[in-house]
Amino acid sequence: MLIKHVKNSEVKPSEITSKSIFLNRRKFLQTAAIAGGISLLPKVITSSCASTRTKFLNVKTTSFAEVEKLTTYEGLSSYNNFYEFGTGKTDPARNAHTLKPEPWAIEISGLATKIGKFHLDDLIKPHQLEERIYRLRCVEAWSMVIPWVGIPLVDIIKRFEPNSKAKFVAFETLVDKEQMPGQKSRSLDWPYVEGLRMDEAINPLTLLAVGVYGERMPNQNGAPIRLVVPWKYGFKSIKSIVKISFVEKEPPTTWNIQAPSEYGFYSNVNPNIDHPRWSQKRERRITGEGGLSAIFMPKIETQFMNGYADEVAELYKGMDLKKFF
Ligand code: MTE
């Protein structure tokens, strides 16, 4: 077992980028990269918010960028699904302050050469972090465009050398009723669990995210580490992960356990297959501008595989997507 507690370094307030200069980020990032490495989870108090917010200083930019308008930080952190903090959309922002994302350990287990329990700082190093702008499309027909900070899941998977029997990757969220008071209710079976087929997990698009907008992940968005699978409905993006296992059989997934006729294992965004209770043809884009009234924004067309079909449609060649929904 390997749990190392890392002492965090302080970052000067002068080194923090304000939202207003975010659009100038490319230049900022170059400068920051020269400034050198910092711990993955340094503590910083920003002036714009009373709560603790942390800035990563050496995030690489990648070619995964969208030309669409970004959802504001306030928008993406105030309208959430995170049942561990309540079932209402604004519950997580109000309640997730009880989550302690530091220190954080993740157990890697199952069919691999290397397994064990690791401190997050040992699993992901700051120099590996990159920013990727991905759409997130919820099964409830709303979407956001978010600048995530993270590392490709494949980089972690390679390190642990899963063997040829490992056909799937299973994920689990923390269970702790004190930190996650929503778990006192039986709104879902705990822990929240999710899974990917191995070829989905090692696809270069699949991201383990530790932040948004160059900052540490807000608690309500799944601090300190969550999955982002941009071509799948948002519920595949499991939050506050404590366990990753390499397994032979398709693992159980929370929403499939909850309502198997409504949510399948694959959950690829597909405007041609309606949810039994509503259409998936369109979605409401939440920009965050104008606060939560933004949820009344006009709907836009939903794209097959959320617009990432060129990269991932090949994974499902020959599969009947009505059957494997
Ligand atoms: N992960 C956990 N542990 N618990 C949850 O309730 N909700 C899922 C997913 N991950 C959920 C979760 C759903 S339904 C969605 S749409 C996305 O998180 C929402 O992510 P966001 O709040 O960052 O937009």
Side-chain angles (χ1 to χ4, degrees), residues 76 79-84 136 138-139 142 144 148 173 188 192 220-221 226 234-239 255:
L76 69 87
Y79 190 85
N80 300 98
N81 273 333
F82 201 172
Y83 278 41
E84 285 83 342
L136 178 111
C138 180
V139 76
W142 50 267
M144 299 184 180
W148 302 99
T173 293
L188 293 174
Y192 191 103
Q220 57 268 40
N221 291 80
R226 67 173 283 173
F235 65 84
K236 294 297 279 187
S237 299
I238 181 172
K239 297 175 168 181
W255 286 100

Side-chain angles (χ1 to χ4, degrees), residues 21-265:
I21 50 171
F22 178 77
L23 293 175
N24 227 346
R25 157 195 290 289
R26 303 293 177 268
K27 199 164 165 228
F28 165 74
L29 289 169
Q30 282 164 8
T31 319
I34 295 162
I38 53 164
S39 164
L40 186 59
L41 301 170
K43 280 203 177 73
V44 171
I45 311 291
T46 62
S47 53
S48 62
C49 181
S51 63
T52 305
R53 283 179 37 186
T54 307
K55 198 86 202 167
F56 299 110
L57 288 187
N58 47 358
V59 178
K60 291 177 284 199
T61 53
T62 70
S63 54
F64 296 93
E66 294 288 342
V67 285
E68 292 172 285
K69 197 175 175 57
L70 300 182
T71 300
T72 62
Y73 181 96
E74 288 69 27
L76 69 87
S77 58
S78 57
Y79 190 85
N80 300 98
N81 273 333
F82 201 172
Y83 278 41
E84 285 83 342
F85 298 101
T87 55
K89 296 283 177 277
T90 54
D91 290 346
R94 200 171 35 248
N95 300 331
H97 58 90
T98 50
L99 177 66
K100 296 187 197 83
E102 211 185 332
W104 194 266
I106 300 189
E107 188 185 342
I108 312 275
S109 66
L111 305 166
T113 311
K114 299 175 195 160
I115 52 171
K117 203 165 182 180
F118 301 86
H119 189 287
L120 181 56
D121 279 359
D122 294 322
L123 214 52
I124 299 178
K125 298 291 178 193
H127 71 267
Q128 295 179 290
L129 295 178
E130 56 181 82
E131 181 188 87
R132 293 180 173 199
I133 299 173
Y134 281 160
R135 284 179 291 274
L136 178 111
R137 204 283 195 186
C138 180
V139 76
E140 295 164 323
W142 50 267
S143 62
M144 299 184 180
V145 184
I146 298 177
W148 302 99
V149 175
I151 76 162
L153 175 61
V154 63
D155 290 356
I156 297 286
I157 292 181
K158 272 196 217 144
R159 214 170 115 186
F160 291 93
E161 300 168 16
N163 63 40
S164 59
K165 279 191 178 157
K167 305 286 185 223
F168 294 87
V169 184
F171 303 86
E172 272 185 42
T173 293
L174 175 73
V175 179
D176 183 328
K177 289 192 172 86
E178 297 313 311
Q179 289 192 60
M180 297 180 149
Q183 290 177 338
K184 290 175 189 161
S185 111
R186 301 172 80 182
S187 53
L188 293 174
D189 277 354
W190 313 112
Y192 191 103
V193 288
E194 255 309 336
L196 294 173
R197 216 171 55 188
M198 184 58 88
D199 58 350
E200 299 176 321
I202 63 171
N203 185 278
L205 282 186
T206 306
L207 196 71
L208 269 179
V210 294
V212 291
Y213 269 106
E215 297 187 8
R216 189 174 69 170
M217 191 68 74
N219 283 3
Q220 57 268 40
N221 291 80
I225 182 163
R226 67 173 283 173
L227 193 63
V228 183
V229 196
W231 70 96
K232 293 180 182 278
Y233 290 117
F235 65 84
K236 294 297 279 187
S237 299
I238 181 172
K239 297 175 168 181
S240 305
I241 298 167
V242 290
K243 194 169 174 186
I244 300 177
S245 319
F246 302 110
V247 297
E248 193 168 2
K249 298 214 165 69
E250 186 182 287
T253 60
T254 285
W255 286 100
N256 181 249
I257 296 168
Q258 203 66 13
S261 61
E262 299 187 5
Y263 309 107
F265 177 79

